[in-house]
Amino acid sequence: MLFWIVAGCLTLVVVATLLRAQFRGGEQARPAAAYDLDVYRDQLREVERDLERGVLSPADGERASTEVSRRILAADAALKNATNGAYSGRSGPLLAVVTAVVLVGGSFAIYLELGAPGYGDLALADRIEAAQIRRAERPSQETAQASVPESPALDAAPDYVALVERLRQAVQARPDDLQGLVLLSQSEARLGNFAAAHDAKARVIRLKGEDATAQDFSEYADLLILAAGGYVSPEAEQMLERTLAMDPRDGAARYYFGLMMSQTGRPDTALRIWDQLLREGPVDAPWIAPIDAQMQDIALRAGVDYSRPTIGTGRGPTQDQIDAASDMSPAERMEMIQGMVAGLSDRLATDGGPVEDWTQLISALGVLGDLDQARAVFENAMEVFGDDLTAIDMLNRVADRVGLQ
């Protein structure tokens, strides 16, 4: 409220100053005929003085006086016309009203577009702290699911619905049937029953135990988020972290992690994560379209003048390729390492890159047994991301997994 009072007073002062200058200018302005009239009167007085001094003869003085008097009459008539016409001042009040409306209304409209009513001016550190509090205090998965309105059931063939019902009964009778739970989770998701789908997926992960893969955790996080209407809950975040600890290159987990940062007040972090996903591609990756649709809004919130990069074709070795490298000959393995290290090192040195690129390189070197090179990359990355606690946490996790710590 104080802001609006101060802003209103300042606006009124500006408007009053401009209107005062406008009216004073109107009062002081004189038409050209008024200056002509002053000149002709001076000339008439000059003729009279010349007659008194005897400089002009009476006949010449009379002719000069007659001519000047005629000009005075013409100028006086022109002055009356100007005063009754353009300089009557009738447009003054209307112009004052227009000026006030434009200034007050325009200022208000511009502030609503560019400003943030009710939002204090916060330093960057304060905003980061507020985002951390918002992230820590955000609603749970259960609360989020309860707030999502019930959506109509998806259209499905009656035979398929009956088959899913039989599958539910079979899983209920055999709660340790891993394959049945996998099929149930997939079937419930196809029907739009995401809550039931993630419940079944949780049971799959429990049955797998240590054999649960990064894909399992990524799919579980995806179902949690879908059940919450696109909201990334603390429970979903934990699954995303488990996924990225096992596979830092998982695109879906990285997309959802960026979405979570956006939802908790860190669009700058979301922008960096999503920009890298766009650069990597490929164009048909399921996360490319939603990123593309939200990127300009994220960039605006982050205060960045953003130009979308060319979507990549999918670069860097996959986890399967890294695992397959263990069966290569020493010469082939060294050739792969050198090529990957050279490509990533050149790009990171010139263009920089997200922490995911560094963890990918460290993980690849660790799998291939080149721990000295992995340690060098790890130490370099720790220097690059020294102020980013999230990046440091990811680097430490991959270092633990590789065996550097």
Side-chain angles (χ1 to χ4, degrees), residues 29-359:
R30 301 178 67 197
Y35 294 101
D36 293 341
L37 190 59
D38 291 340
V39 172
Y40 297 148
R41 286 172 177 168
D42 288 340
Q43 290 178 350
L44 185 59
R45 286 191 289 269
E46 185 67 24
V47 170
E48 292 174 352
R49 286 194 292 270
D50 289 343
L51 285 172
E52 292 176 356
R53 294 196 303 268
V55 176
L56 288 177
S57 64
D60 291 338
E62 183 177 357
R63 284 194 300 270
S65 298
T66 301
E67 178 63 22
V68 173
S69 298
R70 185 185 63 78
R71 293 180 181 181
I72 289 175
L73 292 175
D76 186 60
L79 178 60
K80 289 180 179 179
N81 291 334
T83 302
N84 294 330
Y87 289 89
S88 61
R90 293 177 183 175
S91 62
L94 177 61
L95 184 59
V97 172
V98 172
T99 301
V101 170
V102 170
L103 282 175
V104 177
S107 300
F108 185 73
I110 292 174
Y111 180 75
L112 289 182
E113 178 68 22
L114 302 178
Y119 190 77
D121 185 16
L122 298 177
L124 179 59
D126 295 330
R127 297 185 184 187
I128 293 176
E129 182 181 359
Q132 292 172 342
I133 295 174
R134 181 177 177 182
R135 179 177 175 182
E137 297 179 350
R138 70 190 193 275
S140 65
Q141 179 72 25
E142 181 180 2
T143 302
Q145 282 186 204
S147 65
V148 175
E150 185 176 354
S151 57
L154 298 179
D155 292 334
D159 292 344
Y160 181 76
V161 175
L163 184 62
V164 173
E165 181 58 35
R166 289 172 55 190
L167 181 59
R168 292 169 183 157
Q169 295 173 2
V171 169
Q172 186 175 6
R174 298 189 299 274
D176 294 336
D177 183 354
L178 181 60
Q179 186 61 33
L181 285 168
V182 171
L183 291 175
L184 180 61
S185 177
Q186 295 171 350
S187 300
E188 296 286 16
R190 291 192 186 100
L191 291 175
N193 302 325
F194 298 116
H198 75 63
D199 285 342
K201 191 65 180 181
R203 294 167 64 185
V204 169
I205 292 175
R206 283 197 298 270
L207 287 176
K208 284 189 174 183
E210 294 182 356
D211 294 331
T213 65
Q215 184 176 354
D216 288 325
F217 289 107
S218 180
E219 291 174 354
Y220 184 33
D222 180 50
L223 293 171
L224 288 171
I225 295 166
L226 290 173
Y231 163 71
V232 185
S233 66
E235 292 84 350
E237 180 187 352
Q238 291 177 4
M239 296 304 103
L240 295 176
E241 290 178 345
R242 291 285 297 274
T243 302
L244 293 173
M246 300 173 71
D247 180 11
R249 304 295 302 170
D250 189 285
R254 291 161 63 192
Y255 164 71
Y256 279 132
F257 197 85
L259 180 63
M260 183 270 295
M261 298 304 290
S262 171
Q263 292 175 351
T264 55
R266 290 303 304 272
D268 54 327
T269 303
L271 181 68
R272 290 195 297 269
I273 295 173
W274 287 358
D275 176 75
Q276 189 59 36
L277 284 171
L278 290 178
R279 295 177 187 276
E280 292 177 13
V283 69
D284 58 349
W287 49 84
I288 294 298
I291 288 177
D292 217 11
Q294 302 175 73
M295 205 57 166
Q296 288 302 326
D297 178 65
I298 289 294
L300 180 64
R301 290 171 52 199
V304 175
D305 185 10
Y306 181 75
S307 297
R308 197 198 76 173
T310 301
I311 298 177
T313 57
R315 58 173 177 77
T318 64
Q319 188 64 41
D320 292 339
Q321 292 172 326
I322 294 173
D323 294 338
S326 300
D327 299 328
M328 293 179 179
S329 67
E332 292 172 334
R333 190 160 56 244
M334 184 57 65
E335 181 179 357
M336 175 183 174
I337 292 175
Q338 290 174 344
M340 184 179 63
V341 169
L344 278 178
S345 297
D346 289 345
R347 183 176 58 78
L348 293 175
T350 55
D351 301 330
V355 66
E356 291 83 3
D357 285 355
W358 295 86
T359 55

